[in-house]
Amino acid sequence: MKHSAAEYNVLSYLLQKKSISYEKAIDWAYSQYTKEGVDPFVEKISLAYDQSEIIELISNDFQVYGEPTQGFLIGETASMYSKEQLSLYAAIARILFDLDLGLSEEERQELYIAEDYFGWHNHAEKEAVRHSLPIFNKYRPIYERAVAHFSV
């Protein structure tokens, strides 16, 4: 099965962030082998010496450098929140202040409202989740579909 540049861009990103190990990437490559053979590029990955070689192969062959889309990055943050790897406040702050993404004005406004509850409201989490969860639910599937190709 041939994979797109966008899919390999995700693999490169996951390797750079160490979200997927070199060993898992090799396991994924070997899982692509079928009775009909394997895509020649996947074969190159399966023979790579280390993580940096895989990243370099992807960059050279597909001219992608592990720079995911806005939707992917928001989805990654939403996924981290849903897996309790980030608090709600940290997830909102990451999207608003760390990632500097081009959210729609409506989405940005909802996240600013959610962020504003923290620090003064007695039930900040409960109030903030009403504003942020619809955005998280919109973008989380983008991330999850992208990483599912690599069984992460």
Side-chain angles (χ1 to χ4, degrees):
M1 175 179 170
K2 287 230 179 241
H3 297 281
S4 69
E7 290 168 330
Y8 283 121
N9 189 48
V10 169
L11 178 59
S12 181
Y13 174 80
L14 295 173
L15 286 166
Q16 289 173 38
K17 287 201 62 184
K18 300 187 183 340
S19 296
I20 184 173
S21 67
Y22 162 76
E23 291 78 15
K24 278 194 156 209
I26 296 300
D27 289 345
W28 169 81
Y30 280 114
S31 76
Q32 302 301 297
Y33 283 74
T34 66
K35 290 178 184 175
E36 292 80 37
V38 69
D39 174 47
F41 186 75
V42 172
E43 185 175 17
K44 285 183 188 179
I45 290 175
S46 71
L47 299 172
Y49 180 71
D50 62 12
Q51 177 176 323
S52 61
E53 186 177 354
I54 296 172
I55 294 168
E56 184 178 338
L57 285 168
I58 293 169
S59 296
N60 291 342
D61 282 32
F62 292 94
Q63 289 72 49
V64 293
Y65 307 98
E67 298 167 359
T69 65
Q70 166 188 311
F72 178 92
L73 291 171
I74 296 169
E76 177 184 40
T77 302
S79 179
M80 291 170 76
Y81 167 71
S82 73
K83 293 175 182 174
E84 298 180 357
Q85 296 170 336
L86 281 178
S87 68
L88 180 59
Y89 180 78
I92 292 167
R94 181 172 190 245
I95 292 169
L96 285 176
F97 309 120
D98 297 343
L99 296 177
D100 192 29
L101 300 170
L103 292 169
S104 72
E105 189 57 39
E106 181 181 317
E107 290 171 331
R108 185 182 350 262
Q109 187 65 31
E110 287 297 313
L111 289 178
Y112 275 121
I113 291 168
E115 189 267 342
D116 189 51
Y117 281 110
F118 292 93
W120 70 270
H121 199 280
N122 290 337
H123 304 285
E125 184 102 7
K126 181 180 175 183
E127 295 299 322
V129 81
R130 291 186 341 195
H131 295 277
S132 56
L133 208 52
I135 296 165
F136 289 3
N137 289 339
K138 174 182 174 183
Y139 289 101
R140 189 178 68 246
I142 295 169
Y143 171 79
E144 291 173 349
R145 270 192 305 274
V147 299
H149 291 287
F150 306 104
S151 301
V152 174

